[in-house]
Amino acid sequence: MSGEKDATEAATNEMNGAVKEMMMTLKTIQTEEEGKAGEKVTPCSSEAFQTLLGKVGDYGRWQWRIFFITSFCGLFNAFHNLAAVFLCASPDHWCQVPGLEGVNTTLDLRNISIPWEVEEGGGAGKYSSCSYYVRDWDQLVASGALSGDALPDLPTNVSTTTCHHWNYDHSIYKTTVVEEWDLVCDRRYLASMVQSTYMGGVLAGAIILSELSDKFGRRTVSLVSSLGLIVMGVGVTFTTHYISFILLRFFIAAFTSGIFLPNFVILMEVVGPEGRTIMGMMYQGFFSVGFSLLPAIAYFVREWRYLQLCISVPSVLLLLYYWVLPESPRWLLVKGRPQETMKVLTKVAKVNGCSSPQQEDVDALFQQINKETAQSTTSTNILKKFVRFFQSIITLLSTRNMRRRCLIIFFSWFVVSMVYYGLTFSGGNINASVYLLVFFSGAVEIPSYFLVCWTLKRFGRRLNLSVLFTICGAACLLILVVPKDQVWVNLTLATAGKFFNSAAFAVCYIYSAELVPTGVRNIAVGASSMFARLGSALAPFIVDLLGELHYAVPSTVFGLLSISAGLLALLLPETSHTRLPETVAEVEALIR
């Protein structure tokens, strides 16, 4: 970890657009106030760059071109992020009974060897997945009792034992990771670990690669990560061990962060305030498209290795970034490369049909940045950054209003991320087609963003977050009272929950940046994202392990947590149309 760009840099970059827009507004207000007071105002370098960018066009054709170039990576991010739904799908399975493996018969020997289990919630029942009857199967086979036209009538009040080898149903999936390494019964937690370790990779990549992007450039990290994603993605196809499988996917997750986040920063650093909100919200668009496209690919490719190859090979398109992805002109200027900055800005002006920048303006801005850097007391010492990080965490939790705000928003991020992935992975629990559930889950995301764009302006942050969480929770809780065999009803409820959950996610992004003062805003937003990663890592365990108890237990957990988050949101202040707090004292002076 390292100071203001520590482990929390992951989500800080994700929120970079909204935060920077708000900071720009605040600085403008402060500048105006100082001007009214008769003081001589010298715009900071950030404001000066924004003025320069405005002259060459800060919301034109060039910005929209960069929007599509940078956000295109979301397609492959979604593929890998959600691939575990299909790669690690658990097909119906039953014990491979010792002594019956080689019996040549058309009869279903499960009727006499595997106990029948009645499912909770109106399910039809199924053969036991983890146990079989203890009989002298070798003697029965030798006697010819199993070679007739009908199975012998054997008692069922005999003891059972757990098995160590299984037979799998291939009517839906030809092969899966679960089948290849027998991740069932007492090893089922290993299947849940696949997605949890992936989320760990997302966080690790965001921590490390975001820091590297500040040092070596956004474009450089994005290019290296694109190459790493291709190599690791294809490499997973040929792995033969579980450990190497999750390790390679961990690196895939890290590299997706290394593309997705730096690209977002590039976009936000070349767009003016007018375009940041809409482009920031729409940046997830390709992710949602990939979300919906993945089940279509998986429907036609039922073998996990071929599926992994199908979602990895198209990533070679990301190598086109070498020719079409520019470096952030802001970063170039900060790193002392004014000539390259001039080159990028000249191209911006040409595409946008604006006047070209003057070299003296760029040089003057470069000199101003050098002056501000020389005056800055910010240390690059890792130990000092580490200490400053924990000092910021203490600041977040040391006073009454700050503590309440931060704990509620941390809990909100934890819940919204857990439910987001939990509902996506829960198709098996409600007997719904996994292909349809994942498709609908992705398809409702973009409409949910449009809903939020309208409701945020009309109803503000607090009421929005509370209502969205509550409706999502209600939809999840209703699954408890719907029989399991009512598949379409449960599918509709799960999809509705996902719709409102996605909308709540969008509100959390904005709200968490507005609730805390400037000095600790990056830390607060980043810490929120860390809680989100924790929630998403726990989601597979809730779906897989608690789903064994009852099909509706996971959705009930998601529902209760969502409603709790919705009620707690009412304790937060409304931040819409208010100035962002600059200090902790300002926060504590408010009622809440």
Side-chain angles (χ1 to χ4, degrees):
M1 294 185 181
S2 55
E4 293 183 359
K5 293 185 179 72
D6 61 296
T8 65
E9 187 76 14
T12 303
N13 284 342
E14 295 172 331
M15 277 297 300
N16 213 1
V19 173
K20 285 185 176 179
E21 181 177 355
M22 297 165 197
M23 290 299 297
M24 190 66 68
T25 302
L26 183 59
K27 287 177 181 178
T28 301
I29 293 171
Q30 292 173 330
T31 301
E32 291 174 353
E33 290 176 348
E34 291 173 357
K36 290 177 182 178
E39 299 176 11
K40 183 179 179 180
V41 178
T42 302
C44 67
S45 59
S46 178
E47 292 172 322
F49 183 88
Q50 189 59 56
T51 301
L52 180 61
L53 187 62
K55 292 179 180 178
V56 300
D58 60 6
Y59 188 39
R61 289 175 57 193
W62 189 84
Q63 278 74 20
W64 279 108
R65 179 186 297 177
I66 297 304
F67 167 78
F68 285 106
I69 290 172
T70 55
S71 62
F72 178 68
C73 66
L75 196 69
F76 308 107
N77 194 356
F79 285 170
H80 292 290
N81 212 343
L82 300 160
V85 176
F86 304 103
L87 299 179
C88 301
S90 182
D92 285 340
H93 53 277
W94 55 92
C95 292
Q96 189 178 99
V97 181
L100 296 182
E101 301 95 327
V103 176
N104 185 16
T105 178
T106 58
L107 301 175
D108 190 349
L109 298 180
R110 292 179 297 176
N111 290 326
I112 59 171
S113 60
I114 309 293
W116 183 260
E117 296 178 346
V118 178
E119 292 184 332
E120 298 285 346
K126 63 177 183 177
Y127 290 105
S128 173
S129 301
C130 304
S131 63
Y132 64 94
Y133 290 125
V134 177
R135 308 183 195 275
D136 189 349
W137 296 109
D138 292 324
Q139 191 275 331
L140 283 170
V141 172
S143 68
L146 305 182
S147 60
D149 296 330
L151 292 172
D153 187 13
L154 299 175
T156 58
N157 58 343
V158 295
S159 61
T160 60
T161 188
T162 56
C163 50
H164 303 287
H165 301 283
W166 292 264
N167 293 310
Y168 293 88
D169 175 47
H170 295 124
S171 60
I172 299 178
Y173 308 101
K174 290 184 178 180
T175 63
T176 70
V177 168
V178 168
E179 177 181 354
E180 180 152 339
W181 292 304
D182 287 331
L183 308 183
V184 294
C185 298
D186 59 348
R187 288 166 53 86
R188 187 167 185 177
Y189 73 95
L190 294 175
S192 303
M193 284 288 293
V194 170
Q195 186 66 11
S196 295
T197 53
Y198 183 92
M199 288 301 167
V202 171
L203 181 58
I207 297 169
I208 299 169
L209 296 177
S210 290
E211 179 78 12
L212 292 177
S213 73
D214 284 339
K215 184 174 180 63
F216 299 106
R218 290 82 162 94
R219 179 178 181 271
T220 300
V221 170
S222 184
L223 288 173
V224 172
S225 296
S226 297
L227 182 60
L229 177 64
I230 297 167
V231 173
M232 295 298 172
V234 174
V236 169
T237 306
F238 302 101
T239 186
T240 57
H241 301 284
Y242 170 79
I243 296 298
S244 59
F245 174 78
I246 62 172
L247 185 61
L248 288 175
R249 274 183 52 83
F250 179 91
F251 285 113
I252 288 174
F255 287 129
T256 59
S257 289
I259 306 169
F260 199 69
L261 300 182
N263 280 13
F264 183 75
V265 174
I266 290 175
L267 177 64
M268 291 296 102
E269 289 183 341
V270 298
V271 177
E274 181 185 357
R276 284 185 187 139
T277 300
I278 185 169
M279 287 188 176
M281 292 290 291
M282 292 176 61
Y283 187 74
Q284 295 280 352
F286 275 106
F287 184 93
S288 301
V289 172
F291 201 144
S292 299
L293 189 58
L294 175 64
I297 299 172
Y299 182 82
F300 292 103
V301 184
R302 305 289 181 106
E303 297 186 36
W304 81 263
R305 292 183 186 276
Y306 292 143
L307 175 59
Q308 177 65 32
L309 201 60
C310 285
I311 64 176
S312 299
V313 170
S315 300
V316 297
L317 291 173
L318 295 176
L319 296 181
L320 293 174
Y321 278 163
Y322 182 82
W323 293 277
V324 300
L325 183 68
E327 182 55 88
S328 166
R330 290 179 188 259
W331 182 86
L332 289 171
L333 204 56
V334 169
K335 293 299 180 180
R337 295 155 69 173
Q339 297 299 326
E340 294 175 62
T341 303
M342 183 68 181
K343 184 177 180 181
V344 174
L345 292 178
T346 300
K347 186 172 183 179
V348 175
K350 180 179 179 181
V351 175
N352 286 338
C354 299
S355 58
S356 297
Q358 300 299 313
Q359 184 65 54
E360 54 266 27
D361 292 337
V362 176
D363 291 339
L365 181 55
F366 174 59
Q367 295 299 324
Q368 184 177 350
I369 289 174
N370 283 340
K371 182 179 179 181
E372 291 179 4
T373 302
Q375 294 173 347
S376 174
T377 58
T378 301
S379 172
T380 58
N381 183 277
I382 297 297
L383 180 59
K384 289 183 178 180
K385 287 185 176 183
F386 191 76
V387 171
R388 194 161 58 247
F389 166 70
F390 281 100
Q391 289 175 337
S392 298
I393 293 295
I394 293 172
T395 301
L396 292 177
L397 303 176
S398 60
T399 55
R400 181 174 58 89
N401 280 352
M402 284 289 294
R403 182 165 52 247
R404 180 175 61 250
R405 291 183 179 198
C406 290
L407 291 180
I408 291 175
I409 205 66
F410 290 166
F411 180 70
S412 297
W413 276 74
F414 173 81
V415 172
V416 77
S417 185
M418 175 187 288
V419 177
Y420 182 93
Y421 286 98
L423 289 176
T424 303
F425 280 73
S426 64
N429 289 337
I430 60 176
N431 274 2
S433 167
V434 176
Y435 301 101
L436 284 178
L437 179 59
V438 176
F439 171 77
F440 288 140
S441 294
V444 299
E445 285 203 358
I446 295 179
S448 74
Y449 299 149
F450 283 110
L451 171 69
V452 167
C453 288
W454 179 75
T455 58
L456 280 177
K457 293 180 180 180
R458 190 173 181 85
F459 302 110
R461 279 54 160 151
R462 180 179 61 182
L463 186 60
N464 255 292
L465 189 61
S466 179
V467 171
L468 292 171
F469 263 131
T470 302
I471 298 177
C472 171
C476 292
L477 288 177
L478 284 174
I479 294 176
L480 180 63
V481 299
V482 178
K484 189 174 183 178
D485 56 4
Q486 298 294 315
V487 176
W488 280 101
V489 177
N490 283 322
L491 179 60
T492 301
L493 290 172
T495 303
K498 182 61 167 54
F499 175 87
F500 290 103
N501 171 267
S502 297
F505 221 140
V507 177
C508 281
Y509 272 115
I510 299 173
Y511 209 4
S512 55
E514 296 177 338
L515 285 168
V516 294
T518 302
V520 289
R521 186 168 293 124
N522 283 356
I523 297 295
V525 174
S528 298
S529 183
M530 293 177 69
F531 277 94
R533 298 291 174 260
L534 178 60
S536 59
L538 290 176
F541 291 98
I542 294 174
V543 171
D544 293 340
L545 304 184
L546 295 185
E548 288 286 294
L549 303 177
H550 189 280
Y551 77 97
V553 170
S555 58
T556 301
V557 171
F558 299 148
L560 292 174
L561 288 174
S562 294
I563 290 178
S564 298
L567 294 175
L568 287 172
L570 295 174
L571 299 177
L572 294 172
E574 178 54 62
T575 58
S576 181
H577 306 300
T578 63
R579 287 184 58 178
L580 297 181
E582 191 69 14
T583 65
V584 173
E586 288 182 39
V587 173
E588 294 306 313
L590 300 173
I591 297 175
R592 55 183 171 186

